[in-house]
Amino acid sequence: TGQQKGVMLTHGNFLSNVSDILSVYDISSQDTALSFLPLSHVFERTAGYYTLIARGATIYYAQSHQTVAKDLQSVKPTLIISVPRLYEKIYEKIMSQATGLKKTLLNWAISVGKTKGIRAKVADYLVFSKIRNRTGGNLRFCVSGGAPLAPHLCQFFDTIGLLILEGYGLTETAPVIACNTENAYKFGTVGHPLPSVTVKVAEDGELIAYGPNMMKGYWNKDEETQQVLTPDGGILTGDIVTIDKEGYITIVDRKKNLIVLSNGKNIAPQYIEAKVLKSDCIDQVMVVGDNQKFVSALIVPQWDVIQATQSTSDNTLTVDILIQKELDQYQSELSSYE
């Protein structure tokens, strides 16, 4: 985002955000959380620190980011507050270890997981309970923020009995603007605005937020402050959004990230990336193409899955062929110019 800016947040900004969060989340002194994000990150500062302290919950601190898996089993938390990368890594671990008969069993369990009856109970006993135990076995729900979370991950974890609630905000808003809750959530969205926050959508699709959690401004940067604060007291978030009839907000992409092809078509790379990341064979993807005739992508393969797939094939599946097959499958819902 260019030169670093100091965001001036008041005690009132934080307190209003904490009060709003606690009005929509059921958190008590009986809850425990494992903290592994830096406290200098405003998401962790508010959601994983101030909010939990306000309810008397217990916070355990991971020894390091490399010990999180072990610490989860030791602490057995009821809450996890994290950026999407943790959930992505858990998913990748599950998928990379599921080969042969284990993969067949996992696929069957997922197919019956949200149904009712004896098959769902068997799937939970044989497969899902073992996965949940790796997180300590006591999780009530998880919160994801700080970056977009692919909707298919929410659906996968919900099927195995781990609810991930995605929220959204900015450093400038202390930080939460909207969130999904235990009683009102829709995967692929960032939920409803907090009670004290109001939002509106500008003509170009940019979300504008209002509320007591809005910053005073950028430290010693009056010009930059004027660029984001509106005359009526709102903040230009820089995010292009849609809001459905039920009031759920969906982030389309960062306004500045929109790609304009040479034919004039506007592309939201985040939307395409989320589709492609459904593939177990793809670890990371970055869509590019500004001022070009077509969209391209830089792809990091999920090498463990690639090698496992190749070892069970007739050795004719090169990495290029395998990735192309995945792209053909997961891009089927996209427009031709995407």
Side-chain angles (χ1 to χ4, degrees):
T1 57
Q3 189 176 1
Q4 294 296 304
K5 298 183 287 291
V7 178
M8 295 188 288
L9 295 170
T10 68
H11 290 77
N13 291 153
F14 282 115
L15 287 171
S16 70
N17 216 224
V18 168
S19 178
D20 268 359
I21 293 169
L22 290 176
S23 72
V24 295
Y25 279 101
D26 180 20
I27 298 172
S28 75
S29 60
Q30 302 303 307
D31 282 306
T32 59
L34 177 67
S35 176
F36 44 85
L37 298 178
L39 284 169
S40 55
H41 192 299
V42 72
F43 172 46
E44 179 68 12
R45 177 64 69 95
T46 297
Y49 185 55
Y50 292 148
T51 300
L52 299 182
I53 286 176
R55 275 290 185 267
T58 300
I59 307 171
Y60 291 86
Y61 290 92
Q63 298 175 62
S64 78
H65 69 278
Q66 296 175 330
T67 66
V68 170
K70 183 179 71 173
D71 293 335
L72 282 171
Q73 296 197 16
S74 174
V75 171
K76 303 184 187 308
T78 61
L79 308 173
I80 289 180
I81 295 161
S82 177
V83 291
R85 190 58 186 147
L86 173 72
Y87 309 119
E88 292 168 358
K89 290 173 72 173
I90 294 173
Y91 177 80
E92 291 164 5
K93 190 79 170 177
I94 294 169
M95 290 305 174
S96 65
Q97 293 180 347
T99 58
L101 183 59
K102 285 185 177 180
K103 185 168 186 177
T104 301
L105 183 60
L106 176 62
N107 289 339
W108 170 80
I110 291 172
S111 69
V112 302
K114 297 304 289 184
T115 62
K116 295 181 179 180
I118 188 65
R119 292 195 304 168
K121 292 180 179 178
V122 171
D124 188 76
Y125 176 76
L126 292 178
V127 181
F128 300 151
S129 63
K130 293 178 173 60
I131 297 175
R132 293 197 301 271
N133 285 338
R134 294 182 188 178
T135 65
N138 289 334
L139 281 176
R140 293 172 48 223
F141 60 85
C142 306
V143 175
S144 181
L149 180 66
H152 75 277
L153 291 183
C154 290
Q155 292 162 351
F156 170 80
F157 282 106
D158 184 50
T159 299
I160 67 175
L162 292 174
L163 178 62
I164 300 179
L165 301 170
E166 189 173 9
Y168 161 74
L170 312 171
T171 303
E172 290 87 341
T173 58
V176 185
I177 291 174
C179 61
N180 287 283
T181 67
E182 293 173 273
N183 300 317
Y185 61 87
K186 184 181 289 188
F187 299 144
T189 78
V190 294
H192 295 114
L194 289 177
S196 297
V197 177
T198 57
V199 298
K200 70 179 182 181
V201 181
E203 289 185 6
D204 63 357
E206 183 176 6
L207 185 72
I208 306 173
Y210 303 82
N213 56 324
M214 306 298 139
M215 69 169 183
K216 290 179 65 177
Y218 296 122
W219 178 254
N220 289 335
K221 290 186 180 293
D222 293 338
E223 185 177 340
E224 287 87 342
T225 298
Q226 295 306 315
Q227 289 173 355
V228 299
L229 294 182
T230 63
D232 59 351
I235 282 185
L236 298 168
T237 64
D239 289 303
I240 303 298
V241 306
T242 59
I243 302 178
D244 67 17
K245 294 179 180 178
E246 297 175 285
Y248 286 93
I249 301 171
T250 298
I251 309 297
V252 177
D253 215 323
R254 289 292 291 169
K255 185 176 179 179
K256 65 179 183 179
N257 285 352
L258 293 181
I259 293 172
V260 182
L261 300 181
S262 59
N263 61 9
K265 294 289 187 181
N266 287 340
I267 303 289
Q270 182 179 303
Y271 175 73
I272 301 174
E273 290 161 359
K275 294 286 186 186
V276 172
L277 282 172
K278 289 182 180 180
S279 168
D280 297 338
C281 295
I282 296 175
D283 183 18
Q284 298 180 57
V285 60
M286 183 179 74
V287 171
V288 295
D290 211 30
N291 296 318
Q292 303 299 314
K293 295 179 181 178
F294 52 83
V295 175
S296 302
L298 176 64
I299 291 174
V300 179
Q302 186 61 262
W303 291 112
D304 291 345
V305 177
I306 294 280
Q307 291 165 358
T309 303
Q310 288 176 320
S311 66
T312 57
S313 70
D314 57 5
N315 294 322
T316 60
L317 288 178
T318 65
V319 176
D320 287 351
I321 292 174
L322 197 52
I323 293 294
Q324 188 60 58
K325 287 180 65 177
E326 296 293 293
L327 290 176
D328 291 344
Q329 176 182 349
Y330 291 104
Q331 290 187 116
S332 60
E333 299 175 7
L334 298 178
S335 301
S336 59
Y337 57 86
E338 292 176 304

